Amino acid sequence: MSVRAESLAVQVRGLTRSFTSKGVLNGIDLDVAPGEFVALLGRSGSGKSTLLRALARIDHEAEGEGEIRLPERLSVIFQDARLLPWMRVLDNVLLGISGGRDRGRAALAEVGLGGRERAWPHELSGGEQQRVALARALVREPKLLLADEPFGALDALTRVQMHALLRRLVDAHQPAVLLVTHDIDEAILLADRIVLLEDGRLAADIAVALPGTGIARRARIAELRALLHRLLGVEEFPDGASDAAIPLPSLGERHG
């Protein structure tokens, strides 16, 4: 059963999903507060995308022993921008919305694509296409933004740029965000909380709490990275190198 509620952006109780005899989600309980950014991390096959599809109302066979509570307005972005090739950029942004062309132009300007309203999707780079997808999601002013590895197909530099853009837009629009990712550093840099999924269950719930700048911030990043590698069973640096020596781009002082 799906019940809308505004007190929490997401409230899930007892969510289950099976494919044939295999249980993919095994009694998930999850709360996400309004404006909170939660990263969902886990190995391949742990159920991350299945959970996101259930919350996006794409998978109607997922079952809750209790209930799934969602806000009225939500948007979804995927790894593939999913732009319609026969529609210009502005029309893709406004897909399903009556009128609002000024809103669409403003959304494109926010993602750095002002003046590209009449471009065709094939004229854009992969990063630009994902900017259009982000504008399409945010023009609807969602209370909840669901993101399924939206930067997974981008090159490293473009990903860094998109991380900064997403964080800036989230700070401006204040939706709750649930981000599915395989990237530990992406989760650390973007999220307020990191939820670890293992065998269809929530195995850990970790507050990120990054200090704003300097040595304390770098130390906290290194601590979180080591903890998440350990929880995921990943050998970080087999040659004995220190992860503290590897710099990460700063997204400002949002956690401090």
Side-chain angles (χ1 to χ4, degrees):
M1 178 176 65
S2 180
V3 180
R4 297 186 180 107
E6 298 299 333
S7 57
L8 283 169
V10 175
Q11 186 180 55
V12 177
R13 295 293 179 269
L15 183 66
T16 61
R17 183 65 167 103
S18 297
F19 297 99
T20 64
S21 61
K22 179 177 175 57
V24 179
L25 300 177
N26 299 301
I28 295 291
D29 294 339
L30 177 66
D31 291 340
V32 180
E36 186 177 29
F37 197 128
V38 177
L40 191 60
L41 199 62
R43 298 182 183 91
S44 294
S46 61
K48 303 184 301 299
S49 292
T50 302
L51 174 56
L52 204 78
R53 285 195 297 271
L55 296 180
R57 307 185 183 107
I58 297 171
D59 182 357
H60 299 292
E61 295 186 34
E63 300 174 353
E65 295 174 3
E67 57 192 6
I68 303 172
R69 296 181 179 266
L70 302 169
E72 177 70 29
R73 299 194 308 273
L74 64 83
S75 293
V76 188
I77 50 177
F78 301 94
Q79 185 175 123
D80 182 342
R82 303 194 179 192
L83 305 183
L84 300 181
W86 59 86
M87 297 177 67
R88 296 185 187 271
V89 163
L90 180 59
D91 294 321
N92 267 285
V93 169
L94 294 174
L95 186 65
I97 296 178
S98 299
R101 299 187 76 79
D102 288 342
R103 287 169 52 200
R105 292 186 185 94
L108 284 169
E110 272 196 292
V111 300
L113 291 176
R116 303 298 304 277
E117 294 86 358
R118 292 191 54 77
W120 297 102
H122 74 267
E123 297 174 328
L124 305 180
S125 68
E128 288 171 333
Q129 290 184 20
Q130 280 300 77
R131 287 173 184 259
V132 176
L134 189 53
R136 182 175 58 194
L138 293 176
V139 77
R140 290 157 173 77
E141 291 295 338
K143 296 292 186 182
L144 173 63
L145 177 63
L146 302 171
D148 193 358
E149 298 193 78
F151 312 130
L154 303 179
D155 64 82
L157 178 57
T158 303
R159 288 187 74 164
V160 170
Q161 294 169 338
M162 291 298 291
H163 289 166
L165 174 63
L166 176 60
R167 193 63 244 188
R168 186 168 70 250
L169 291 172
V170 167
D171 288 344
H173 291 265
Q174 292 294 304
V177 181
L178 188 61
L179 169 73
V180 167
T181 181
H182 283 93
D183 189 322
I184 287 174
D185 289 343
E186 181 171 87
I188 293 170
L189 288 171
L190 289 175
D192 304 309
R193 283 167 56 208
I194 298 173
V195 175
L196 187 66
L197 209 62
E198 184 174 344
D199 295 328
R201 299 184 185 278
L202 298 188
D205 191 333
I206 302 163
V208 174
L210 292 184
T213 57
I215 294 174
R217 179 183 177 90
R218 290 175 59 83
R220 178 60 177 160
I221 289 171
E223 176 189 17
L224 286 167
R225 189 192 283 131
L227 171 62
L228 290 166
H229 275 105
R230 186 165 66 251
L231 290 173
L232 290 166
V234 177
E235 186 178 0
E236 294 178 79
F237 297 97
D239 296 329
S242 170
D243 62 354
I246 297 180
L248 290 174
S250 172
L251 296 183
E253 300 186 1
R254 62 178 186 83
H255 292 312

